[in-house]
Amino acid sequence: MGYGMSRLEDEYYEPEGQDTDGSSSVQVNDDFSKLHNDIFHMTRMRSGLSESIYKSIGTNRGIISMAKLLSGREVDCSGKGMFSSGDRAFVRGRYVPMNGPEFLDMMDSRAYVSQFSADGTLFVAGFQGSRIRIYDVDRGWIVHKDIHARSLRWTISDVSLSPDQRYLVYSSLAPIIHIVNVGNAARESYANVTDIHDGLDFSQHEDVQYAFGIFSVKFSSDGRELVAGSNDESIYVYDLHANKLTLRLPAHTSDVNTVAFADESGHLIYSGSDDTLCKVWDRRCLSTGQAAGVLTGHLHGITHIDSRGDGRSFISNGKDQAIKLWDIRKMMSNADSCADGAPSWDYRYSRYPKHHKQLKHPHDQSLATYRGHSVLRTLIRCYFSPAYSTGQKYIYTGSYDSNVYIYDVVSGSQVAKLNGHQMAIRDCSWHPIEPALVSSSWDGRVAKWTSARDEEAYDVD
């Protein structure tokens, strides 16, 4: 096991360096650094100390000790008797989960999905061998529920917990998504024997007359709907209260590998596809069947999207071995967009061609590009770190090279490289409150990483 850590740069970005050969790099569009830097600015604001802290303890920017930070809280410099959200994120955000791994579970099949619940009390892991385990985090990671998936095709491709944490849905390469209640039911969950285990048929739409598989599924923030992306080039929306499919969008020209709601309103949906495009869909104006806008920049297919939750920005992981940061205010209309990727290459069978690493999309609209990890053979996922504890100042991702990579959003520097698995890490999840990260791997192991930072002083940028 091991880990690496680089300094947190004070600049907005570093010069582009090597990528999949061992070091990380970030590439930032020139026009963004001059005109559209509010996302970087807000990241700093949400993860940095407030001016009131400096004033209350009588120090300038530079080295500041934890004792001084605590004294600033004691004199109530925020006026609320506690740290401000930015102060809290600054303190907690310095405790990056790098110490480990501590292996929590071991299965005899590949792990494909990892997910903490919104409050961090539950953790879900999905395995290729028809098993989904829900762990009780606060009770020593005991298995709260052991779900035996049914009608499984190939593997569990995605899971999603409802906002109230009462239900879980899971998908595979089939047109049926299953829903299971999480609650205080029997620990072993079998299909309609000891528990609720219902199938939701996504092929019931009048335009669908064939079988397809679902790669991605998400609950809406109110728990009333599901949005899904499939290998029939479409996006689906299912109304759980009405118990029926309400929308099918022929969204892309290839597999839709990932979908996400932009924010809590549920009006905007992001999608990413093997056609290399990210699209934004506004459900309030779908009469034309067209996306609200398109974002180009990836050279190969998109494997995952994670929304920042502000209805404006998101990140995507791509088979071009890169994570990209996007602002939908830069998107183009369908008429103006063009999918102009790199030469054909199949990520399932070979390493990324070295000569492709130097290629750049001629119409790249992304704000920044982060490199260093490896995206091969499976739809590897990426995320923003939690808003509560870090101010979303980091991006983290699994990797085919069996590591977890953590990047600084603003500088692009590689903050940590978590090494402990023996095979590809498709998914990982950062605890929403505590400095802990859990990864699941094709080696069948579920591993936990905790903070390794215990210094007395911190360099304030």
Side-chain angles (χ1 to χ4, degrees), residues 217-344:
V217 59
K218 297 291 182 294
F219 268 101
S220 60
S221 61
D222 60 8
R224 296 177 60 93
E225 293 180 311
L226 299 174
V227 62
S230 72
N231 65 356
D232 70 341
E233 308 172 358
S234 301
I235 296 172
Y236 292 85
V237 176
Y238 195 100
D239 187 321
L240 290 169
H241 281 217
N243 194 29
K244 66 177 183 179
L245 193 70
T246 57
L247 178 66
R248 175 182 179 262
L249 282 171
H252 289 267
T253 59
S254 191
D255 295 354
V256 180
N257 296 324
T258 177
V259 290
F261 285 103
D263 56 22
E264 292 185 352
S265 72
H267 296 317
L268 297 181
I269 296 172
Y270 301 141
S271 63
S273 168
D274 272 340
D275 63 12
T276 77
L277 299 177
C278 293
K279 291 188 177 184
V280 181
W281 303 88
D282 191 334
R283 299 176 62 193
R284 295 164 294 186
C285 49
L286 286 176
S287 57
T288 63
Q290 298 296 313
V294 179
L295 291 155
T296 62
H298 278 291
L299 296 171
H300 294 286
I302 296 157
T303 63
H304 192 250
I305 281 176
D306 186 44
S307 174
R308 194 163 176 259
D310 56 8
R312 192 175 67 198
S313 49
F314 65 94
I315 54 174
S316 60
N317 218 353
K319 298 176 183 179
D320 53 4
Q321 317 301 297
I323 294 172
K324 286 185 174 289
L325 173 65
W326 308 90
D327 186 333
I328 68 172
R329 293 171 297 180
K330 292 171 64 69
M331 65 188 181
M332 297 186 296
S333 68
N334 282 311
D336 297 329
S337 67
C338 59
D340 192 4
S344 177

Side-chain angles (χ1 to χ4, degrees), residues 377-453:
R377 294 192 62 190
T378 187
L379 302 177
I380 289 174
R381 300 178 166 196
C382 64
Y383 302 94
F384 287 101
S385 63
Y388 177 86
S389 59
T390 72
Q392 296 178 304
K393 68 182 295 183
Y394 303 119
I395 290 170
Y396 64 102
T397 179
S399 180
Y400 182 72
D401 65 7
S402 74
N403 299 306
V404 174
Y405 288 78
I406 303 175
Y407 304 110
D408 185 283
V409 170
V410 177
S411 72
S413 59
Q414 180 181 295
V415 177
K417 179 180 177 180
L418 312 183
N419 181 356
H421 285 286
Q422 298 175 350
M423 296 183 70
I425 300 173
R426 184 179 188 264
D427 204 1
C428 47
S429 185
W430 196 311
H431 193 283
I433 300 171
E434 302 298 330
L437 185 149
V438 177
S439 55
S440 60
S441 167
W442 278 9
D443 62 15
R445 293 177 175 178
V446 178
K448 179 182 178 183
W449 310 82
T450 56
S451 169
R453 293 294 298 268

Side-chain angles (χ1 to χ4, degrees), residues 145-281:
K145 201 174 195 68
D146 200 349
I147 301 167
H148 297 249
R150 65 172 185 172
S151 305
L152 192 71
R153 289 186 183 175
W154 179 246
T155 185
I156 292 162
S157 57
D158 203 3
V159 301
S160 182
L161 280 166
S162 63
D164 61 8
Q165 298 176 194
R166 294 177 58 195
Y167 299 97
L168 175 142
V169 293
Y170 67 88
S171 63
S172 68
L173 302 187
I176 296 177
I177 287 177
H178 290 87
I179 184 167
V180 182
N181 70 301
V182 174
N184 295 318
R187 176 172 156 179
E188 296 283 333
S189 176
Y190 294 89
N192 293 320
V193 176
T194 61
D195 209 351
I196 295 173
H197 200 138
D198 294 334
L200 311 175
D201 189 357
F202 277 60
S203 64
Q204 62 183 260
H205 195 277
E206 60 184 9
D207 294 337
V208 179
Q209 299 178 354
Y210 48 86
F212 57 89
I214 294 173
F215 288 121
S216 177
V217 59
K218 297 291 182 294
F219 268 101
S220 60
S221 61
D222 60 8
R224 296 177 60 93
E225 293 180 311
L226 299 174
V227 62
S230 72
N231 65 356
D232 70 341
E233 308 172 358
S234 301
I235 296 172
Y236 292 85
V237 176
Y238 195 100
D239 187 321
L240 290 169
H241 281 217
N243 194 29
K244 66 177 183 179
L245 193 70
T246 57
L247 178 66
R248 175 182 179 262
L249 282 171
H252 289 267
T253 59
S254 191
D255 295 354
V256 180
N257 296 324
T258 177
V259 290
F261 285 103
D263 56 22
E264 292 185 352
S265 72
H267 296 317
L268 297 181
I269 296 172
Y270 301 141
S271 63
S273 168
D274 272 340
D275 63 12
T276 77
L277 299 177
C278 293
K279 291 188 177 184
V280 181
W281 303 88

Side-chain angles (χ1 to χ4, degrees), residues 43-65:
T43 299
R44 286 192 161 191
M45 290 285 290
R46 293 173 180 174
S47 61
L49 291 178
S50 59
E51 290 298 327
S52 58
I53 282 283
Y54 295 109
K55 292 178 182 179
S56 68
I57 60 182
T59 185
N60 296 321
R61 292 179 180 272
I63 302 298
I64 185 170
S65 69

Side-chain angles (χ1 to χ4, degrees), residues 102-149:
E102 172 191 353
F103 293 113
L104 303 172
D105 203 355
M106 176 70 181
M107 299 288 282
D108 58 4
S109 65
R110 295 175 174 180
Y112 271 74
V113 183
S114 296
Q115 183 184 122
F116 274 109
S117 61
D119 63 3
T121 61
L122 299 175
F123 181 83
V124 181
F127 300 86
Q128 188 173 16
S130 303
R131 302 291 286 279
I132 301 171
R133 285 192 164 179
I134 304 177
Y135 304 88
D136 190 323
V137 176
D138 294 339
R139 296 176 60 195
W141 288 84
I142 65 170
V143 177
H144 172 74
K145 201 174 195 68
D146 200 349
I147 301 167
H148 297 249

